Amino acid sequence: MKVGIIGTGYVGLPTGVGLAELGNDVICIDREPKKIEALKAGKITLYEDGLEELFNKNVKAGRIKFTTSMKEGVEDADLVIIAVGTPPHPVTKEADMKYIHAAATELAEYLRGYTVIATKSTVPVGTGDDIEALIAKKNPFANFDVVSLPEFLREGFAVHDFFHPDRVVVGANTEKARNVIKELYKPFEGKTNMLFVKRRSSETIKYASNAFLAIKIHYINEMANFCEKTGADITEVAKGMGLDSRIGNRFLNPGPGYGGSCFPKDTMAMAYMARQNDVEMTLIKAAIDGNVKRKKEMAERILEMVKGIEKPRIAVLGLAFKDGTDDCRESPAMEILGNLLEHKVQVTAYDPKAMGTACQLLGDKICYADDMYQALEGADVLAILTEWGEFKTLDLAKAGSLMRHKNIVDCRNLLDVNDALRNGFDYQGIGKKAVKADVDLRKAV
Ligand code: NAD
């Protein structure tokens, strides 16, 4: 199938590469000439496990091409996928539709023959109708259908999730459009759940899913606060809860709050849509407010550890919003750092993949280390903010020898509390009692 993909970001690029790998002829379109120049030169523009190898393979095979020209990408396509951003509107916090509307308007004049336009961007309910109207206005003779095809990939696992989706949701209002999408997903037949629903249901499924996951994270974070006060251990509590198949064991890891380019904006957009429709959604509102508060609380924890130290130095491990990605958009680490920097502290940070993207956001406000041990030199506290597996291998004896004071705030519960105590650290994890080396060492096992 000939597929044009508008938007070559964290969704568009892995989708394009995946569809090329399945044998489709793919053209990725982006309005950022720098991005397209890099991709044309064979340079991948974002980090995703396994993406570079597949990208190189499919570029070499001539199955995927890159362009800034909407005409080139759309005129021969059987299917055009829209994967542009839908960021929060700066004032109302609803999904800002300017990129979607621009893409729909720009593509309209190049449609030739019957074409399916599918939105993979996360879009408010009713967007399919808006796109239809925009295209029909610009090109009254166009022969097309608009389909909602929400994307559920997880950053860090985008390639895996492309080839092993939990489900494919298709919101199509015509049989003809449904058949085009069925053809596209033929390689997945019998291997995944294909759900064909009304377009408006499909648009809603995406927001309803993300809001639910955000609420689940918020819930376990509140339960972690409870455990800290009562002497229970959230790791044990979450394990016990997760064994109930009605609850499930995923998304029960407490941490510094949810982040990334989806949950914060999608919860706000869902709350906005609910208000517009006079529907009260108290859980989503609680999750949004609680998540903002959470990141402030994490910064306070870190500052508490260095209270009384003159010109404190903070070593931060982890800048990306989660492991497996270089994406720092709405990363809890970025917000916690913003809070810390208001208190005249010196921060040195390290992240295995996100140094470049973090530097674009933070510039010279912090120092950047080449590895995790360099970040610790002369530090008064170590704050772990992203759950990279690499940080679990930290040699705490070596870490202690490099630091000025032995304090750890482990916002991802990556380190072993007993190991920390044995190496003389005061340690605060999430959802478990904070421990002090001079008081609690004898309890270490
Ligand atoms: P992104 O910012 O990484 O990429 C969007 C790209 O679209 C940019 O490269 C931008 O230059 C390009 N673009 C914008 N307008 C354009 C136009 N008119 N013509 C051509 N190119 C244009 O965004 P993303 O993270 O890939 O997210 C895209 C959409 O997918 C959003 O709606 C998001 O909510 C949704 N989504 C994202 C994820 C994720 O994990 N990132 C997962 C599921 C769904």
Side-chain angles (χ1 to χ4, degrees):
M1 191 178 293
K2 289 195 161 119
V3 185
I5 303 187
I6 306 175
T8 312
Y10 285 88
V11 167
L13 187 57
T15 303
V17 170
L19 289 175
E21 177 67 14
L22 293 178
N24 298 287
D25 276 334
V26 178
I27 303 192
C28 291
I29 310 146
D30 204 287
R31 54 156 56 156
E32 271 186 43
K34 259 193 183 164
K35 211 174 249 188
I36 293 301
E37 273 161 33
L39 291 165
K40 275 183 163 174
K43 272 173 56 188
I44 196 112
T45 44
L46 54 91
Y47 175 75
E48 269 295 341
D49 191 26
L51 187 62
E52 193 164 4
E53 295 88 317
L54 271 190
F55 168 83
N56 289 336
K57 182 180 163 199
N58 283 283
V59 167
K60 209 168 155 195
R63 284 193 292 263
I64 186 163
K65 295 195 175 71
F66 302 93
T67 181
T68 51
S69 157
M70 191 65 86
K71 178 175 188 294
E72 196 186 335
V74 168
E75 65 184 357
D76 291 328
D78 307 299
L79 169 69
V80 175
I81 294 176
I82 301 182
V84 301
T86 44
H89 186 278
V91 181
T92 61
K93 307 297 179 199
E94 68 193 286
D96 191 337
M97 299 304 284
K98 67 180 173 204
Y99 301 114
I100 295 280
H101 291 167
T105 313
E106 286 165 37
L107 74 84
E109 66 178 292
Y110 304 116
L111 293 175
R112 310 262 178 278
Y114 177 70
T115 315
V116 170
I117 320 292
T119 44
K120 264 205 179 288
S121 300
T122 303
V123 292
V125 63
T127 298
D129 302 2
D130 298 342
I131 294 176
E132 229 165 57
L134 280 169
I135 295 175
K137 188 173 169 204
K138 188 86 193 280
N139 183 354
F141 302 107
N143 180 10
F144 69 101
D145 276 310
V146 177
V147 169
S148 161
L149 191 62
E151 180 54 64
F152 298 101
L153 68 76
R154 298 163 299 163
E155 279 186 34
F157 298 91
V159 174
H160 172 274
D161 289 354
F162 178 87
F163 290 104
H164 307 93
D166 281 344
R167 82 283 211 196
V168 175
V169 174
V170 186
N173 290 347
T174 70
E175 192 59 37
K176 203 171 175 189
R178 264 196 289 280
N179 287 338
V180 170
I181 304 297
K182 267 188 197 157
E183 182 64 28
L184 185 75
Y185 282 96
K186 210 164 188 169
F188 297 96
E189 224 172 60
K191 296 184 192 150
T192 190
N193 297 306
M194 291 280 293
L195 182 67
F196 291 92
V197 294
K198 279 186 199 165
R199 197 164 62 197
R200 283 183 176 236
S201 303
S202 171
E203 290 164 343
T204 305
I205 285 170
K206 176 65 192 175
Y207 280 107
S209 303
N210 272 4
F212 185 82
L213 292 173
I215 289 167
K216 199 170 177 190
I217 294 171
H218 171 62
Y219 180 81
I220 202 68
N221 283 341
E222 286 198 330
M223 206 47 76
N225 288 343
F226 179 77
C227 290
E228 284 169 18
K229 293 278 163 97
T230 57
D233 182 326
I234 193 66
T235 309
E236 295 172 353
V237 172
K239 197 169 181 187
M241 288 169 65
L243 289 172
D244 184 332
S245 58
R246 292 169 305 175
I247 295 173
N249 60 6
R250 292 166 78 184
F251 274 73
L252 287 180
N253 296 324
Y258 59 77
S261 67
C262 291
F263 289 173
K265 83 172 172 66
D266 292 347
T267 43
M268 288 190 294
M270 185 67 235
Y272 178 87
M273 288 189 282
R275 283 197 302 277
Q276 291 303 100
N277 288 284
D278 283 329
V279 177
E280 199 170 75
M281 288 202 169
T282 53
L283 290 178
I284 293 178
K285 190 174 176 322
I288 294 169
D289 295 345
N291 200 52
V292 171
K293 204 167 144 217
R294 181 98 188 138
K295 287 172 267 188
K296 280 204 188 102
E297 284 167 3
M298 293 299 117
E300 282 160 14
R301 276 180 194 208
I302 298 164
L303 290 167
E304 185 62 30
M305 281 277 199
V306 293
K307 206 169 158 188
I309 298 174
E310 214 178 304
K311 295 194 183 143
R313 293 189 202 168
I314 299 173
V316 164
L317 292 186
L319 296 165
F321 85 94
K322 59 182 276 197
D323 62 334
T325 180
D326 59 354
D327 194 350
C328 287
R329 290 177 291 180
E330 298 286 330
S331 168
M334 292 294 122
E335 293 189 39
I336 293 167
L337 276 169
N339 277 305
L340 293 176
L341 291 170
E342 285 172 16
H343 291 82
K344 303 208 175 1
V345 297
Q346 189 191 312
V347 175
T348 303
Y350 168 72
D351 187 288
K353 295 289 177 201
M355 300 297 271
T357 40
C359 189
Q360 282 169 18
L361 294 170
L362 293 166
D364 60 4
K365 289 186 189 144
I366 64 165
C367 301
Y368 301 92
D370 292 335
D371 61 48
M372 51 184 177
Y373 293 104
Q374 195 185 62
L376 295 171
E377 284 170 16
D380 299 302
V381 61
L382 158 63
I384 300 183
L385 301 183
T386 312
E387 68 273 42
W388 287 102
E390 179 183 334
F391 301 156
K392 286 190 197 164
T393 66
L394 193 68
D395 175 344
L396 287 181
K398 185 175 172 186
S401 72
L402 293 169
M403 292 173 69
R404 194 161 64 174
H405 291 97
K406 293 184 179 182
N407 293 311
I408 297 175
V409 177
D410 183 357
C411 294
R412 301 288 186 171
N413 286 343
L414 288 190
L415 303 181
D416 176 49
V417 58
N418 290 322
D419 192 21
L421 281 176
R422 276 195 299 271
N423 285 290
F425 282 90
D426 289 357
Y427 174 91
Q428 179 160 20
I430 300 284
K432 40 194 89 192
K433 266 212 152 114
V435 290
K436 287 196 176 292
D438 55 352
V439 182
D440 298 298
L441 184 54
R442 64 198 153 74
K443 292 186 204 152
V445 285

